Amino acid sequence: MGSIIEVQGVSKSFGALNVINDCSIAVEEGSITGLIGPNGAGKSTLFNLIAGTFPVSSGTIRFDGEDITNIPSNELFSKGLLRTFQIAQEFTHMTALENLMMVPPDQPGENLFNTWFRPKLVRSHEADVRQRALEVIDFIGLSHVKNELAGNLSGGQKKLLELGRTMMVNAKVVLLDEIAAGVNRTLLQDLVANIQRLNQEMGYTFLVIEHDMDMIAELCDPIIVLAQGSVMVEGTIEEIQNNPQVIEAYFGSDPNESGAANGTD
């Protein structure tokens, strides 16, 4: 289907520290692409560059054919490029349902003029947003906690809620940053199933940073391995697991002493 994200020769330095070095990757539209690498490889920095959080030092980033280099994250959000975080960013004192309803931008009720002089428009739009939020919260399996304050949800439920928030806008690509962190195995399976459904039924493209190699193996194809800020290798999970360079980067010269078989990091 072609690449929806293209990172071309991108570098990023923080003072004298070079974190990303002439890095080039392509994410195919409709794929669930994994991005892995040892600690300090530059994975989260690369995410921040793609998401517009950090400016690049050199190189270009294209999204859906458009040069988005150094475009801020709020503009990328409106274009359909979204990022989730290692720590879910919920509104703790609002219900799970209200959290979803807050996502769509430019709602009529945000305009004081509309609130005063066009109340029917505001109520109609809010009813539409609420209906969409109810559909989303049912999709992600959180209907039973829709009226619970988001701050009271478990870590896994918060991750599901954050995934649901991507469904409240017209997302094209979602960047998932260690979404499995702090999630129990039961809810992790719910997360995996929802990501697969969004990919297969709604055409979402995902780029996934994750240390849980079982999750990467179940979800991702292809997988890109980053080391020292550059791409080391790209391939299927079988190719990655059996690549001597990857084993060396993760575990040193003797993988048998380092848990290479189970993919610990």
Side-chain angles (χ1 to χ4, degrees), residues 224-263:
I224 300 168
V225 182
L226 213 62
Q228 298 181 336
S230 300
V231 174
M232 173 186 292
V233 66
E234 176 178 343
T236 65
I237 185 64
E238 292 81 10
E239 292 167 339
I240 296 302
Q241 288 176 328
N242 293 300
N243 187 290
Q245 288 180 287
V246 176
I247 295 171
E248 174 70 23
Y250 268 100
F251 310 112
S253 58
D254 189 355
N256 292 324
E257 294 182 359
S258 306
N262 61 25

Side-chain angles (χ1 to χ4, degrees), residues 77 151 154:
F77 177 89
S154 71

Side-chain angles (χ1 to χ4, degrees), residues 1 4 27-33 63 80-84 103 132 136 139-140 162-176 194-208 219:
M1 297 178 67
I4 194 165
V27 177
E28 183 178 341
E29 184 176 2
S31 71
I32 304 177
T33 298
F63 171 59
L81 176 59
L82 285 67
R83 185 226 174 118
T84 67
V103 175
R132 175 59 180 160
V136 168
F139 182 97
I140 60 177
E162 186 162 5
L163 189 63
R165 292 197 304 199
T166 71
M167 299 175 62
M168 294 298 296
V169 293
N170 293 320
K172 296 179 181 177
V173 175
V174 179
L175 310 178
L176 297 177
N194 276 291
I195 291 166
Q196 290 171 327
R197 286 182 66 193
L198 287 171
N199 173 253
Q200 295 165 8
E201 298 176 18
M202 302 180 68
Y204 278 37
T205 300
F206 289 95
L207 180 59
V208 183
L219 270 181

Side-chain angles (χ1 to χ4, degrees), residues 140-192:
I140 60 177
L142 292 181
S143 293
H144 61 295
V145 293
K146 66 174 183 281
N147 295 319
E148 183 68 57
L149 293 180
N152 296 337
L153 301 181
S154 71
Q157 289 171 333
K158 289 177 181 179
K159 294 292 181 69
L160 282 167
L161 183 63
E162 186 162 5
L163 189 63
R165 292 197 304 199
T166 71
M167 299 175 62
M168 294 298 296
V169 293
N170 293 320
K172 296 179 181 177
V173 175
V174 179
L175 310 178
L176 297 177
D177 191 354
E178 295 197 33
I179 197 168
V183 179
N184 67 50
R185 302 311 296 185
T186 299
L187 281 177
L188 183 57
Q189 285 304 308
D190 290 341
L191 273 170
V192 168

